[in-house]
Amino acid sequence: MVRYILTRLKQLTDDREGQFREYVHMLEVLSSNRNLEHVIEQEERMLSRVEHSKLPSFRIGMEKGVEEGLRQGLQQGLQKGEAALLLKLIARRFGDLDESIIERINSAAPEQLELWADNLWAAETLAELFYSH
């Protein structure tokens, strides 16, 4: 019966450890009148040894986290590659670039990089490329 109560408490608290511990404390107080402290302590230790990595919710959360991490990493990698290519093309067209231009390109959003790339061949100067659009 004690195992059932603790298992249900764990489910009802959705693994919120603090809330679960409060309920266990209440059970301990109630059990002291019936000499059940030892049984409750054993069951609590057993439940706290549950491997969270084997729970379906943990696996689902991890999968979503990995997918989101991969998506963000791919997006950042593409942005860096686009910036590097644009820097190379601009340097070929206009010569050496100062740090402020390099930083501006490296920190630009993908949409801005695309706009500058589209305007690269029409611009006569760096100022025209960056400041006229």
Side-chain angles (χ1 to χ4, degrees):
M1 184 60 161
V2 172
R3 180 176 290 179
Y4 173 77
I5 291 170
L6 288 172
T7 302
R8 282 297 290 148
L9 281 176
K10 194 77 164 168
Q11 291 168 348
L12 292 171
T13 57
D14 291 327
D15 285 331
R16 289 185 302 268
E17 197 64 32
Q19 189 176 21
F20 176 73
R21 295 265 177 232
E22 284 180 44
Y23 288 136
V24 168
H25 177 70
M26 287 181 214
L27 272 176
E28 288 172 346
V29 169
L30 291 172
S31 69
S32 64
N33 295 334
R34 297 191 172 102
N35 294 327
L36 296 175
E37 297 101 346
H38 180 69
V39 174
I40 289 177
E41 286 174 14
Q42 285 178 329
E43 293 298 325
E44 184 182 5
R45 277 195 301 274
M46 184 202 69
L47 285 173
S48 64
R49 285 190 218 133
V50 171
E51 290 185 49
H52 297 288
S53 62
K54 292 184 179 179
L55 297 172
S57 59
F58 179 85
R59 287 195 306 269
I60 291 168
M62 287 298 293
E63 288 170 6
K64 286 182 180 181
V66 167
E67 287 173 11
E68 180 64 17
L70 288 172
R71 186 190 64 73
Q72 287 179 5
L74 180 59
Q75 185 176 2
Q76 289 172 358
L78 287 171
Q79 188 273 340
K80 285 183 180 184
E82 290 172 354
L85 179 58
L86 185 59
L87 282 168
K88 191 173 192 175
L89 293 172
I90 292 172
R92 279 193 183 161
R93 173 100 196 247
F94 297 108
D96 291 337
L97 305 174
D98 45 80
E99 277 303 310
S100 64
I101 298 290
I102 293 170
E103 180 58 36
R104 186 172 182 186
I105 291 171
N106 283 331
S107 62
E111 298 80 20
Q112 184 64 60
L113 293 173
E114 188 175 333
L115 179 66
W116 289 333
D118 288 343
N119 296 329
L120 179 61
W121 305 119
E124 296 294 324
T125 66
L126 276 174
E128 190 178 323
L129 175 64
F130 292 111
Y131 304 108
S132 67
H133 298 284

